[in-house]
Amino acid sequence: MRQFDEMLRRGLMEANLAQYEAVLEKLPEWEPDFSPRYRRERMRLLADPWGWVRRRAGGRRTRLNWQLIAVIAALLLLSACAYAVATGQFSQWFPRRGVDPKAPETSEEVLSRTGTVIGQSLTAGDETVTLNAAVWDGSRVWLSLVLESPNIPEEVRQYAPLYTGGCRLSLRQDQWEAYTRNRWEQFYTDTEPDMSPEQVEAAIQAKLDEGDQAQGALLDVLGREGDTLILEATYSLSAGLFPEAEQPEMTLRLENIAADVDGGEGHPRKSVPDEIILKGPFTFTFTLERPVLPLSIRYDAADVEMPPLDIPFRFTGFELSTTSLTAFYAARDPKELPGPKEVFALTDSLRGLWTEDGTYVDLTSMGGGAADTSVSRDYPYPIDPAAVTAVDIAGTRVELGGLKRLDG
């Protein structure tokens, strides 16, 4: 049924794109500015089209109204996110996320379904900053930015380091308080099981009293065209710690971005006043829309015979997001602790995955990571976690359908 719904949606989108293609071609600079109410209604529609129709019908069961469905498809096409899908805009805004060369439209759709079109531009003096869009994979938020200024030093080009000490991203105050409470409550529950409820509450209150809710920016230079820099900012934001009924309201402040200079031995990196690229300040406030696909799906593999590895560890489960595959491991002997050799072997065993159309995605050349109980590999391009059917563990195909799905 999910495949039918997806095929129906895609077919209607393509039909409406063909219908309105001439109109869209005449609007190369079109920057829609929809109201928050419209954006919320669009997200509900994208997430559950049939539920949206039933609500409009007052909850009554009704025969499919194909005229209404066609109108819905047209609205989706002409909405900000759908316009971005039609033009491949998300892939252009976030080139580091990658694109499947065999199905670029699929990569674009996954990005767009985790994305928010923002389209805000601010100018101060001879400086202009445009915040194009955001994508959220459930643990990280990426922002696409364009910076225009005549003050950019010649040496600042692709991958050049930037000093961003004056740049911050923050949640709305009440959302930050709820997020911080959830974060530390989970932390103390996992790491300090002997703490009493009163002790946990006191520790959480101390964190709230600190009041430092803003994250520092990590800005990467993706490219340069004359006096224009294409940037990407990265921030941490766990969907699991955020209230499901709300959408994050965020404020981005950019100020005193400069060329990053090594302060020399024993001294921190610093900015040089003469090398200021963007003085600012620029302040953007936007609502991060919730993705309309599962951000992650986790499978419990505890009851499945896993491929043997030549180390005393085994995989106990997998988690698939839109950007990476994570495998959880445990020692066969509880007293064993993993060393660098074991962690490398575990990471190296994550070879690839298969999607529902039979495509094999090779992960062996991709970067990875390791934590106390898990290892991970990045994807070469965005993938819908619900479309993954099997994973390649050290050359052995492990069917996810035979595992217990825990969430998603």
Side-chain angles (χ1 to χ4, degrees):
M1 186 65 180
R2 189 183 71 81
Q3 288 181 322
F4 172 77
D5 288 348
E6 185 62 30
M7 290 171 64
L8 174 63
R9 177 179 179 274
R10 185 172 296 181
L12 289 168
M13 290 284 285
E14 290 177 355
N16 278 276
L17 176 59
Q19 174 72 20
Y20 294 101
E21 185 173 15
V23 176
L24 293 175
E25 287 178 349
K26 295 178 181 179
L27 299 172
E29 302 301 323
W30 183 49
E31 294 185 6
D33 183 18
F34 296 118
S35 69
R37 179 181 178 186
Y38 170 84
R39 291 177 181 272
R40 288 193 297 270
E41 194 67 14
R42 187 188 70 209
M43 289 298 292
R44 296 188 184 104
L45 170 59
L46 283 166
D48 184 9
W50 311 124
W52 186 88
V53 171
R54 285 194 296 272
R55 287 193 297 274
R56 288 288 175 175
R60 302 186 304 274
R61 295 183 62 86
T62 181
R63 296 177 61 187
L64 294 181
N65 184 327
W66 291 101
Q67 281 188 322
L68 177 59
I69 292 171
V71 170
I72 291 172
L75 289 173
L76 292 177
L77 175 67
L78 295 176
S79 70
C81 275
Y83 177 77
V85 174
T87 59
Q89 193 65 64
F90 273 96
S91 297
Q92 296 175 41
W93 284 330
F94 300 97
R96 293 177 71 180
R97 308 282 72 80
V99 175
D100 181 358
K102 295 181 180 179
E105 70 284 353
T106 301
S107 300
E108 174 68 24
E109 186 169 356
V110 173
L111 269 182
S112 70
R113 293 174 73 186
T114 61
T116 302
V117 176
I118 300 173
Q120 296 182 23
S121 187
L122 300 175
T123 298
D126 54 6
E127 301 173 342
T128 298
V129 178
T130 301
L131 178 55
N132 295 318
V135 291
W136 184 20
D137 74 346
S139 60
R140 291 163 295 181
V141 175
W142 291 280
L143 300 176
S144 169
L145 297 148
V146 175
L147 186 159
E148 300 173 66
S149 171
N151 307 314
I152 304 173
E154 185 63 29
E155 63 270 19
V156 177
R157 295 192 171 275
Q158 190 175 34
Y159 307 132
L162 295 178
Y163 176 85
T164 56
C167 302
R168 293 287 184 269
L169 182 72
S170 59
L171 282 166
R172 196 180 70 202
Q173 179 67 24
D174 63 312
Q175 292 183 340
W176 171 79
E177 291 176 0
Y179 184 87
T180 301
R181 174 171 290 279
N182 290 340
R183 174 189 174 191
W184 289 104
E185 185 175 66
Q186 183 182 88
F187 173 82
Y188 291 123
T189 299
D190 293 343
T191 62
E192 303 289 345
D194 295 331
M195 288 181 68
S196 68
E198 293 77 16
Q199 289 173 317
V200 171
E201 177 60 29
I204 292 174
Q205 192 58 53
K207 295 295 182 182
L208 292 172
D209 291 342
E210 292 177 5
D212 185 13
Q213 59 168 300
Q215 290 189 51
L218 176 60
L219 285 175
D220 294 319
V221 181
L222 303 188
R224 178 173 183 170
E225 298 175 3
D227 290 340
T228 300
L229 289 182
I230 294 90
L231 305 176
E232 183 177 87
T234 309
Y235 301 89
S236 297
L237 186 67
S238 173
L241 300 175
F242 204 85
E244 290 187 10
E246 294 190 40
Q247 296 178 176
E249 293 187 18
M250 315 193 82
T251 297
L252 173 67
R253 181 181 174 88
L254 302 175
E255 185 175 17
N256 292 331
I257 298 175
D260 195 15
V261 177
D262 193 336
E265 186 175 357
H267 298 279
R269 302 185 73 87
K270 60 183 180 180
S271 66
V272 177
D274 292 341
E275 299 293 329
I276 293 290
I277 296 170
L278 178 135
K279 183 175 178 59
F282 293 90
T283 301
F284 299 90
T285 299
F286 60 95
T287 299
L288 191 64
E289 296 176 349
R290 279 196 170 274
V292 291
L293 49 65
L295 285 173
S296 65
I297 300 175
R298 183 161 175 173
Y299 297 90
D300 181 6
D303 298 328
V304 177
E305 185 65 29
M306 299 302 299
L309 297 174
D310 190 24
I311 53 175
F313 293 87
R314 63 186 180 88
F315 287 124
T316 60
F318 303 102
E319 185 170 17
L320 299 112
S321 73
T322 60
T323 56
S324 63
L325 164 65
T326 299
F328 300 89
Y329 66 86
R332 292 190 174 93
D333 180 349
K335 297 179 181 179
E336 289 280 352
L337 294 175
K341 174 185 174 182
E342 288 77 18
V343 172
F344 175 80
L346 289 164
T347 305
D348 190 53
S349 69
L350 303 182
R351 304 284 178 82
L353 55 84
W354 286 268
T355 56
E356 58 190 0
D357 62 359
T359 298
Y360 178 76
V361 182
D362 187 350
L363 303 181
T364 55
S365 63
M366 300 303 297
D372 291 341
T373 59
S374 66
V375 291
S376 63
R377 287 270 205 182
D378 294 331
Y379 302 153
Y381 47 79
I383 297 175
D384 182 348
V388 180
T389 58
V391 293
D392 181 352
I393 305 299
T396 298
R397 178 172 175 138
V398 178
E399 298 289 345
L400 297 176
L403 310 183
K404 181 181 179 181
R405 179 167 166 165
L406 299 180
D407 51 51

